[in-house]
Amino acid sequence: MSLKIKLVSFVLCPFVQRSVILLREKQIDFDLEYISLDEPPEWFLRLSPTGKVPLMLVNDSVLFESSVILDFLDESFSPRLHPVDILKRAQHKSWIEYGSTLLMGMHAMAVATDHKTFIEKKESFEKEIERLDEPLKAGLFGEAEVFTLVDAAIAPLFMRLDYHQQFNPEGEVQMPAALSLWAQRLLKRPSVQASVVDDFSVRYKDFLLEKKSWLPTRTG
């Protein structure tokens, strides 16, 4: 059966970006529509029970929640990127969920409105992201030769962290060496680079400025 896929997104949403990365990795045709979450269209509110993105339309059916969408795409289109081993697959899903926690921690750090709060949030975030180091070095995920759904889920986080240090040298998050190498590999991947709009960095910086974030001001 032919599947017509349409993603509905906020232009800066990292959770939708996960799906775009996976769609591009699998070379699946899809449509992408950006909406404003401040003034969402009525049709979106009718379809989305949470009022949030990502939302994916598959023919006449509606899917939501990024991890569910990732699973659906992986099960529906080759090649399968989740591990075959049941336990390892469950571990990957666990770390994808932890990636969502990291995205929320990163966001709290990014929108901090003063230097002191930013530093506090950054120190807390550095402890959280360091938890990825042990499973990464154990070879659970992050291998250069094998792209997985964990890669798709974590890449949007690394992209935003990279922009943070471009906006402000103090925005650099300290990570173990293995994590830094993983981030560099993912950010060079064509599917990751093509998963956002061309002027993403400008839009992201403007978003932070609108939130009165300290990060892009370069002041202490």
Side-chain angles (χ1 to χ4, degrees):
M1 180 180 68
S2 177
L3 299 178
K4 182 179 180 181
I5 294 174
K6 179 178 179 179
L7 273 175
V8 182
S9 176
F10 163 54
V11 72
L12 299 178
C13 179
F15 295 98
V16 178
Q17 187 183 355
R18 292 172 161 183
S19 300
V20 175
I21 292 170
L22 186 56
L23 285 160
R24 295 200 180 282
E25 280 289 332
K26 290 175 175 276
Q27 299 182 6
I28 303 167
D29 290 332
F30 69 100
D31 294 321
L32 177 59
E33 180 172 348
Y34 293 115
I35 64 169
S36 168
L37 291 182
D38 293 328
E39 297 180 356
E42 286 296 325
W43 62 262
F44 171 76
L45 295 176
R46 287 196 304 271
L47 293 175
S48 175
T50 64
K52 300 176 183 178
V53 293
L55 185 77
M56 190 167 77
L57 308 179
V58 184
N59 294 343
D60 296 323
S61 300
V62 176
L63 296 177
F64 52 96
E65 297 298 340
S66 65
S67 60
V68 174
I69 292 172
L70 289 179
D71 279 348
F72 170 79
L73 291 173
D74 196 49
E75 292 170 4
S76 302
F77 299 93
S78 297
R80 293 290 294 273
L81 302 181
H82 253 328
V84 174
D85 180 82
I86 296 174
L87 177 57
K88 191 172 182 179
R89 185 162 69 246
Q91 289 177 296
H92 276 217
K93 290 184 179 184
S94 295
W95 286 108
I96 288 170
E97 288 303 313
Y98 187 67
S100 298
T101 299
L102 288 176
L103 282 169
M104 300 308 292
M106 180 274 299
H107 179 73
M109 173 183 67
V111 298
T113 56
D114 61 83
H115 183 245
K116 180 176 181 293
T117 303
F118 174 80
I119 295 300
E120 290 173 351
K121 296 292 185 183
K122 185 172 84 163
E123 290 175 349
S124 175
F125 179 79
E126 287 174 341
K127 293 177 182 177
E128 293 173 353
I129 198 170
E130 190 174 352
R131 287 182 176 272
L132 292 172
D133 190 47
E134 185 175 340
L136 177 66
K137 289 192 294 189
L140 182 61
F141 50 73
E143 298 177 88
E145 304 82 10
V146 181
F147 189 86
T148 70
L149 269 63
V150 179
D151 292 297
I154 298 295
L157 175 76
F158 287 146
M159 178 178 285
R160 283 153 185 77
L161 293 179
D162 185 59
Y163 281 123
H164 290 177
Q165 63 182 344
Q166 292 182 37
F167 298 157
N168 187 331
E170 284 196 70
E172 182 178 3
V173 167
Q174 298 301 312
M175 293 186 288
L179 275 182
S180 295
L181 289 173
W182 184 28
Q184 292 169 26
R185 286 200 304 270
L186 287 180
L187 293 178
K188 292 177 182 177
R189 201 168 184 95
S191 63
V192 175
Q193 294 179 349
S195 63
V196 294
V197 293
D198 291 340
D199 60 346
F200 179 86
S201 63
V202 175
R203 289 174 180 258
Y204 186 43
K205 187 173 184 178
D206 286 346
F207 169 79
L208 294 178
L209 289 170
E210 289 172 7
K211 295 293 183 181
K212 302 188 185 303
S213 163
W214 170 85
L215 179 63
T217 65
R218 292 179 176 267
T219 61

